[in-house]
């Protein structure tokens, strides 16, 4: 099969899916960007391009606060999720010998249950009169219900760390699996203790997995609005809640679009930074 | 080895605690679905099946379930067909701008769902189309196609090309070869893809929330119930049924995924298809 013929066949075959993505993904995304430069007065859409929405999105203290908070919470969630997931991935990759498939299935299974229900369940668990408090009261461990766990940032972090756990574990696991075990033996033979060996061999080689996990958790977290709504209280609300309000009750789609585009830019920039930083860390540590 | 085994047990203990954390919410669901109290808290007060019985006569719930089934079945079929085209092209051929094209198709994996939902909403508003179950399906297909591709990639990459060539040599047409050779060989992957995309669509909330019209899907219905504390035990019962359904679908999907891996003599324990 010559190259040109092959290329044509491949394009033809991929075209239905590609067309679908162009029409229903790329086109709408471009439209959102265009929308963010328009203005809406009640029901009338004014399509003269203007930066007014961005000005409002970036200068209004409320939006700025929400944006910064989303970023802060997402970074916190990502850090907690990846750090807590790493030992699990390490355990399954290095210590589990025969039942790896079972462990992976058990780790991924909760992800397939309804996200909405899982978030709701955390609300029920962490509530003032909830499962956790009532169980502790009942068993006499505490006398007053704990107040610091629901309707704040902690609750958002716990809930999201739970929701994204498999997405953090799997990429790290895959990276750890790829590590040539003879390298570890070599490090040991050359006199490295377990700790040194971990930091000089295992961790640098696992960096691509850690990076993938970081990005996979970070990006969707910024866009989540169920978790902040259900368990975040007022101090846990994030930018997506505001985007939802602009497209819903406030009926200001252009401003909502500007907020959405702005947050995508921030997340994109942050992702790029993380990507570049991790490559550097990987290189420096690998030397 | 004293040092090594101690480290092992620490890691093991940590992993076990982590699994408890992972499963805590899921385990609580059935416990409180059978608990005889409107308050979801310990101590448990008694066993009842009333919450399940209360679901029976609920016509709004029935509508939501049938809407969700329509959406999920349609989504599963469309995204598996679209996924099959892309997976086959990606595995078999080199073509111009391949990375860009596949990148766009897989983009929903790294795009927050709210962005997809908002983008589609804006376009529908611009086109003057009204929201319906179809608009939800359009959004769900976008999200499901990458998963379908992931599952079908492994099915297609294990396909022995010489079998198809033999079929051509024996005079089968392209369609005949697909129907009698290719399709039966990738069938486990197709079933696995159908089940996984069905499950994702059935559970998806954010896109459905933005794009649903007057006909709500099940997650949107559940969301509307969460505001009423008295309805919460009913939600727990409903959640338990959904949990059972999802787990059984997943086990079946996993079974087919492994069978397709075994057909190719691959180790089924790898994570391919899941991420």
């Amino acid at each position: 099969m010559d190259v040109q013929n092959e290329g044509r066949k491949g394009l033809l075959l991929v075209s239905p899916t590609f067309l679908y993505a162009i029409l229903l993904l790329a086109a709408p995304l471009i439209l959102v960007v265009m929308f963010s430069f328009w203005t809406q007065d009640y029901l009338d859409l004014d399509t003269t391009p203007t930066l007014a929405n961005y000005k409002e999105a970036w200068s209004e203290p409320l939006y700025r606060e929400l944006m910064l908070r989303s970023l802060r919470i997402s970074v916190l969630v990502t850090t907690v999720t990846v750090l807590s997931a790493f030992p699990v991935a390490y355990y399954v990759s290095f210590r589990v010998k025969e039942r790896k498939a079972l462990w992976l299935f058990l780790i991924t299974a909760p992800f397939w249950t309804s996200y909405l229900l899982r978030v709701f369940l955390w609300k029920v668990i962490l509530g003032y009169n909830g499962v956790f408090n009532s169980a502790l009261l009942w068993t006499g461990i505490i006398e007053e219900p704990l107040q610091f766990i629901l309707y704040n940032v902690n609750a958002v972090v716990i809930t999201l760390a739970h929701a994204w756990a498999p997405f953090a574990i799997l990429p790290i696991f895959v990276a750890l699996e790829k590590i040539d075990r003879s390298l570890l033996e070599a490090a040991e033979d050359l006199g490295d203790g377990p700790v040194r060996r971990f930091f000089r061999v295992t961790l640098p080689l696992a960096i691509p997995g850690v990076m993938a996990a970081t990005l996979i958790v970070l990006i969707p977290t910024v866009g989540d609005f169920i978790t902040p709504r259900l368990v975040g209280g007022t101090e846990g609300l994030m930018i997506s809640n505001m985007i939802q309000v602009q497209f819903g009750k406030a009926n200001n789609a252009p401003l909502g679009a500007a907020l959405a585009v702005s947050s995508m830019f921030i997340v994109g920039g942050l992702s790029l930074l993380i990507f570049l930083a991790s490559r550097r860390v990987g290189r420096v540590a690998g030397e | 080895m004293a040092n090594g085994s101690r480290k092992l047990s620490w890691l093991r203990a940590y992993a076990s605690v982590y699994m408890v954390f992972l499963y805590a919410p899921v385990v609580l669901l059935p416990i409180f679905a059978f608990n005889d109290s409107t308050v979801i808290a310990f101590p448990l007060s008694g066993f009842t099946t009333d919450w399940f019985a209360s679901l029976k006569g609920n016509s709004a719930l029935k509508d939501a379930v049938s809407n969700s089934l329509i959406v999920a079945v349609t989504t599963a079929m469309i995204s598996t067909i679209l996924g099959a085209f892309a997976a086959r092209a990606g595995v078999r051929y080199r073509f111009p701008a391949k990375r860009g094209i596949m990148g766009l198709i897989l983009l929903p994996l790294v795009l927050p769902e709210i962005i997809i939902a908002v983008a589609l909403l804006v376009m529908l508003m611009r086109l003057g189309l009204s929201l319906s179950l179809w608009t939800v399906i359009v959004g769900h297909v976008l999200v499901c196609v990458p998963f379908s591709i992931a599952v079908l990639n492994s099915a297609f990459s294990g396909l022995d090309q010489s079998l198809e060539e033999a079929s051509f040599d024996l005079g089968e047409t392209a369609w005949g070869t697909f129907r009698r050779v290719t399709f039966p060989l990738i069938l486990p992957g197709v079933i696995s893809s159908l089940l996984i995309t069905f499950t994702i669509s059935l559970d998806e909330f954010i896109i459905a929330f933005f794009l649903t019209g007057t006909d709500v899907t099940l997650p949107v219905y559940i969301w509307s119930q969460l505001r009423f504390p008295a309805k919460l035990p009913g939600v727990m019962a409903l959640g338990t049924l959904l949990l059972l359904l999802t787990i059984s679908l997943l086990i079946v999907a996993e079974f087919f995924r492994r069978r397709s891996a075994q057909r190719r003599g691959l180790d089924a324990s790898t994570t391919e298809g899941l991420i």
Side-chain angles (χ1 to χ4, degrees), chain A:
Chain A
M1 198 158 30
D2 64 293
V3 174
Q4 224 182 1
N5 192 15
E6 184 185 337
R8 208 173 308 127
K9 270 193 174 167
L11 277 178
L12 191 69
L13 202 54
V14 82
S15 60
T17 320
F18 185 47
L19 268 181
Y20 190 92
I22 291 264
L23 290 177
L24 296 162
L25 183 63
L29 287 176
I30 292 167
L31 196 63
V32 167
V33 176
M34 284 163 69
F35 240 77
S36 66
F37 292 105
W38 296 344
T39 43
Q40 184 169 334
D41 185 20
Y42 197 54
L43 284 178
D44 303 315
L45 201 61
D46 181 359
T47 55
T48 7
T50 160
L51 284 170
N53 296 314
Y54 285 98
K55 221 175 262 168
E56 196 175 344
W58 288 84
S59 62
E60 179 76 34
L62 173 64
Y63 303 146
R64 210 161 50 191
E65 162 69 17
L66 282 176
M67 203 95 84
L68 282 176
R69 186 194 291 160
S70 303
L71 209 56
R72 220 169 37 231
I73 294 181
S74 305
V75 169
L76 184 64
V77 166
T78 310
T79 315
V80 170
T81 311
V82 172
L83 285 183
S84 63
F86 192 94
V88 181
Y90 186 88
Y91 173 72
V92 178
S93 177
F94 281 84
R95 306 280 177 222
V96 177
K97 293 282 180 270
E98 273 149 28
R99 299 230 169 129
K100 273 186 191 171
L102 179 67
W103 271 89
L104 289 179
F105 184 74
L106 286 178
I107 286 166
T108 43
F111 158 72
W112 296 104
T113 63
S114 165
Y115 180 54
L116 180 61
L117 277 175
R118 272 182 294 148
V119 178
F120 157 71
L121 284 166
W122 278 110
K123 181 192 166 94
V124 171
I125 292 172
L126 299 174
Y128 186 76
N129 295 315
V131 173
F132 190 61
N133 266 334
S134 65
L136 290 181
L137 280 173
W138 184 40
T139 49
I141 295 172
I142 53 170
E143 282 173 9
E144 286 284 309
L146 303 171
Q147 298 205 9
F148 59 87
I149 43 176
L150 189 67
Y151 297 132
N152 55 31
V153 177
N154 295 341
V156 175
V157 173
I158 294 176
T159 308
L160 287 175
H162 178 264
W164 294 101
F167 286 94
I169 295 174
L170 288 180
I172 300 176
F173 169 80
V174 171
L176 290 174
E177 280 289 278
K178 280 193 193 143
I179 295 178
D180 188 347
R181 299 304 196 255
S182 58
L183 288 175
L184 302 180
E185 281 166 28
E188 207 160 76
D189 293 345
L190 293 170
D192 268 358
V195 177
R196 260 173 88 89
R197 193 187 64 184
F198 176 78
F199 281 105
R200 295 199 357 171
V201 181
T202 316
L203 192 58
L205 289 172
I207 287 288
V210 173
M211 188 199 76
T214 306
L215 295 183
I216 288 176
V217 177
L218 180 75
I219 295 169
T221 308
V222 182
D224 189 16
F225 75 96
I226 309 177
T227 306
R229 254 295 273 288
L230 280 180
V231 303
T234 44
E235 61 161 295
L237 284 182
M238 289 162 65
I239 192 68
S240 301
N241 302 88
M242 187 47 76
I243 296 174
Q244 187 230 323
V245 167
Q246 294 301 337
F247 276 94
K249 272 192 214 121
N251 194 21
N252 191 346
L255 181 58
L259 289 172
V261 173
S262 304
S263 52
M264 283 314 294
F265 256 98
I266 295 176
V267 183
L270 186 64
S271 308
L272 197 67
L273 274 179
I274 293 172
F275 178 72
L276 293 175
S278 78
R279 271 212 338 209
R280 229 193 137 125
V281 168
R283 227 180 13 240
V284 169
E287 271 164 11

Side-chain angles (χ1 to χ4, degrees), chain B residues 2-54:
Chain B
N3 187 22
S5 64
R6 197 171 73 226
K7 200 167 69 191
L8 185 144
S9 64
W10 270 110
L11 262 177
R12 200 195 165 85
Y14 177 81
S16 311
V17 170
Y18 196 89
M19 292 310 273
V20 171
F21 165 67
L22 224 47
Y23 277 85
V26 182
V27 170
L28 289 171
L29 201 55
I31 293 180
F32 286 100
F34 288 109
N35 185 31
D36 182 18
S37 162
T38 48
V39 184
I40 299 174
F42 285 108
L44 300 172
S45 59
F47 181 85
T48 179
T49 53
D50 286 357
W51 307 122
F52 289 92
S54 74

